[in-house]
């Protein structure tokens, strides 16, 4: 069923040549776009780039699926007008809404007191076919791409766009949203320096990132943190204490520790803040900063405070870098689709935009290699990794 919005001026028409090329060559006349997983600065910039490119350059019809895969499962989508995607480049979040609790191949529903899990992928494909939608653009992280890969395997024309503040998506050097999160985290860490130095304290700032330390490593280096703790390098508490005490002996009576939410002590456990019943990825990390307060206080005898940045890292307007990256990704997704590429993820590798099969990405994450150049640089300027 097609819908139009009253009051919207007609969108600019694509040139007949562009139209003819897209329609006759690849048969794509209508696409849908969705944003899956946690929100992230730059999502709207991708929606804008995808929709404007589709309308302007290829004369396509564009549908916006509401609330990620949940909206696809529940058949909630509307046609996107040119006006709806205007003025959203700088706006954080997603105008389409998102969800990180719905996995079409293992959808959990409450039946009485029980939770039933069923595969509703065929129902999703039918919802798209009923509206004559030829291709689906999935903007998301590893969970979304794993589902997108399954849809591609089932014959749907799919193109992925890499999103996440965590920068942990396999196959691309960088995801949009990461630069904004690092900028926000760095500004916050810069601010706690004053309290740390005035009160001679150890300030421990916990950043997000799940099982990868990209946000911690980059914001830690950018803010000149004394200690950076990441999941890839399990820490030893005596080494952290040695480091803060040696600073005290040198007259630096404060220290800044940046810790990734997924960091853990050598031989210890990752700190879980909660487990979500209906989520395909139920574990939520968080709270390691509070553990470190006790550990450092005990072994170094210094006054310690924890600051957990949390979702502030996902908020706000995207940085210019992320706006540019998101626009490039969104445009590239359309160009590739119209050239007949399908079942791929748009990636940035070595500064070049390209794409790789979603099957290579599904079920994997990208962590920091222990010999990463930024770890070497941080060590060279005296940063400790707690080992
Ligand atoms: O993947 C993005 C992210 O913000 C992670 O860094 C964090 O662990 C998780 O999402 C938090 O998820 P939620 O918004 O469900 O609490």
């Amino acid at each position: 069923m097609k819908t139009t919005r009253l009051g919207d001026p007609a969108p600019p028409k694509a040139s007949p040549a562009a139209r003819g090329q897209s329609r006759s060559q690849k048969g794509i006349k209508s696409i849908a776009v969705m944003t899956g997983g946690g929100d992230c600065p730059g999502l709207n910039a991708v929606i804008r780039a995808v929709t404007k490119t589709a309308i302007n350059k290829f004369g396509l019809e564009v549908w916006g699926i509401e609330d990620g895969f949940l909206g696809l499962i529940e058949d909630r989508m509307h046609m996107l007008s040119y006006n709806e995607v205007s003025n959203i480049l700088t706006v954080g979040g997603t105008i389409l809404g998102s969800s990180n609790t719905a996995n079409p191949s293992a959808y959990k529903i409450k039946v009485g007191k029980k939770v039933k899990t069923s595969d509703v992928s065929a129902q999703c494909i039918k919802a798209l076919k009923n509206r004559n939608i030829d291709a689906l653009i999935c903007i998301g992280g590893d969970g979304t791409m794993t589902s997108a890969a399954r849809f591609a395997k089932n014959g749907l024309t799919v193109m992925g766009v890499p999103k996440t503040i965590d920068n942990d998506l396999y196959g691309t050097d960088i995801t949009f949203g990461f630069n904004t999160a690092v900028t926000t985290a760095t500004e916050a860490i810069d601010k706690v320096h004053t309290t740390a130095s005035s009160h001679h304290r150890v300030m421990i700032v916990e950043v997000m990132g799940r099982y990868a330390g990209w946000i911690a490593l980059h914001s830690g280096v950018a803010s000149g943190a004394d200690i950076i703790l990441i999941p890839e390098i399990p820490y030893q508490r005596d080494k952290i204490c040695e480091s803060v005490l040696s600073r005290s002996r040198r007259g630096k009576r404060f220290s800044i520790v940046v810790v990734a939410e997924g960091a853990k002590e050598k031989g210890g456990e990752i700190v879980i803040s909660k487990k979500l019943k209906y989520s395909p990825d139920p574990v939520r990390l968080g709270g390691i900063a509070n553990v470190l307060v006790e550990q450092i206080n005990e072994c170094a005898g210094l006054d310690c405070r924890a600051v957990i940045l949390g979702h502030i890292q996902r908020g706000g307007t995207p940085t210019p870098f992320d706006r540019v990256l998101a626009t490039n990704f969104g445009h590239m997704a359309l160009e590739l689709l119209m050239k007949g590429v399908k079942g791929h993820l748009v990636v940035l590798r070595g500064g070049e935009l390209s794409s790789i099969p979603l099957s290579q990405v599904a079920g994997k994450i990208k962590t920091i290699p222990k010999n990463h150049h930024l770890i070497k640089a941080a060590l060279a300027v005296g940063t400790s990794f707690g080992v």
Side-chain angles (χ1 to χ4, degrees):
M1 192 188 69
K2 289 183 184 178
T3 58
T4 45
R5 288 171 177 255
L6 291 177
D8 279 358
K13 294 261 188 306
S15 71
R19 272 197 156 149
Q21 184 195 27
S22 64
R23 290 179 182 208
S24 62
Q25 278 186 8
K26 305 301 163 203
I28 292 178
K29 296 175 189 160
S30 176
I31 62 164
V33 57
M34 55 144 291
T35 53
D39 74 315
C40 174
L43 282 167
N44 283 328
V46 180
I47 295 168
R48 170 183 175 269
V50 162
T51 308
K52 288 193 168 183
T53 304
I55 294 173
N56 276 346
K57 187 163 180 190
F58 297 107
L60 307 183
E61 188 177 87
V62 185
W63 291 81
I65 296 171
E66 293 154 26
D67 301 336
F69 283 125
L70 186 63
L72 186 56
I73 294 165
E74 294 175 351
D75 199 9
R76 288 187 283 115
M77 58 189 90
H78 65 274
M79 212 188 284
L80 288 174
S81 70
Y82 198 83
N83 263 13
E84 192 175 343
V85 300
S86 282
N87 267 331
I88 61 168
L89 175 65
T90 62
V91 182
T94 160
I95 59 163
L96 293 175
S98 194
S99 155
N100 54 11
T101 54
N103 173 1
S105 66
Y107 184 50
K108 292 188 166 78
I109 17 170
K110 228 173 156 191
V111 184
K113 283 189 177 158
K114 290 195 175 149
V115 177
K116 200 180 135 211
T117 304
S118 44
D119 185 346
V120 292
S121 310
Q123 172 186 323
C124 294
I125 294 177
K126 196 161 172 266
L128 297 171
K129 291 262 162 348
N130 284 346
R131 290 183 174 84
N132 296 318
I133 294 168
D134 306 305
L136 175 64
I137 297 198
C138 298
I139 312 170
D142 67 327
T144 305
M145 292 314 146
T146 302
S147 295
R150 268 194 221 106
F151 277 124
K153 213 173 153 199
N154 288 340
L156 194 70
T157 299
V158 181
M159 185 61 65
V161 177
K163 165 236 76 161
T164 169
I165 62 162
D166 305 329
N167 196 36
D168 62 350
L169 192 59
Y170 187 84
T172 183
D173 291 347
I174 191 158
T175 51
F176 73 85
F178 173 62
N179 184 265
T180 307
V182 168
T183 303
T184 301
T186 304
E187 281 168 9
I189 302 161
D190 286 350
K191 285 189 174 145
V192 302
H193 259 89
T194 46
T195 303
S197 66
S198 307
H199 290 266
H200 316 300
R201 282 179 183 163
V202 179
M203 295 297 291
I204 302 154
V205 185
E206 179 178 314
V207 297
M208 282 182 162
R210 300 196 310 167
Y211 305 97
W214 296 106
I215 300 178
L217 178 62
H218 280 250
S219 62
V221 169
S223 59
D226 306 298
I227 300 167
I228 299 174
L229 305 175
I230 56 176
E232 293 83 350
I233 307 178
Y235 69 83
Q236 289 162 258
R237 70 175 91 169
D238 54 323
K239 298 289 179 192
I240 298 175
C241 290
E242 249 175 64
S243 172
V244 294
L245 288 172
S246 97
R247 277 178 56 77
S248 290
R249 284 193 294 274
R250 282 191 286 120
K252 301 277 182 195
R253 295 168 59 208
F254 72 95
S255 291
I256 303 288
V257 180
V258 175
V259 59
E261 61 180 0
K264 62 174 185 178
E265 190 171 16
K266 195 171 176 190
E269 294 295 323
I270 212 156
V271 181
I272 293 173
S273 72
K274 61 166 87 85
K275 286 194 181 178
L276 306 174
K277 217 171 172 183
Y278 297 101
S279 175
D281 181 15
V283 174
R284 291 295 176 274
L285 306 177
I288 181 72
N290 293 321
V291 172
L292 282 161
V293 164
E294 299 305 320
Q295 292 179 339
I296 300 174
N297 182 265
E298 195 184 298
C299 67
L302 296 170
D303 197 15
C304 306
R305 292 288 189 280
V307 178
I308 300 179
L309 293 185
H311 292 83
I312 186 176
Q313 294 157 96
R314 293 213 316 234
T317 183
T319 56
F321 180 92
D322 274 336
R323 295 177 202 177
V324 170
L325 186 62
T327 303
N328 265 330
F329 278 159
H331 167 247
M332 186 69 168
L334 247 289
E335 290 287 345
L336 290 172
L337 257 187
M338 299 314 287
K339 278 187 184 132
V341 179
K342 50 186 175 177
H344 271 217
L345 172 73
V346 179
V347 295
L348 188 78
R349 285 173 156 186
E352 296 290 329
L353 281 169
S354 62
S355 72
I356 56 169
L358 280 164
S359 56
Q360 284 179 19
V361 177
K364 296 182 195 155
I365 64 163
K366 178 188 70 187
T367 53
I368 308 174
K370 288 208 178 71
N371 63 352
H372 192 273
H373 60 87
L374 195 52
I375 293 180
K376 288 184 189 162
L379 286 168
V381 297
T383 310
S384 163
F385 285 84
V387 287

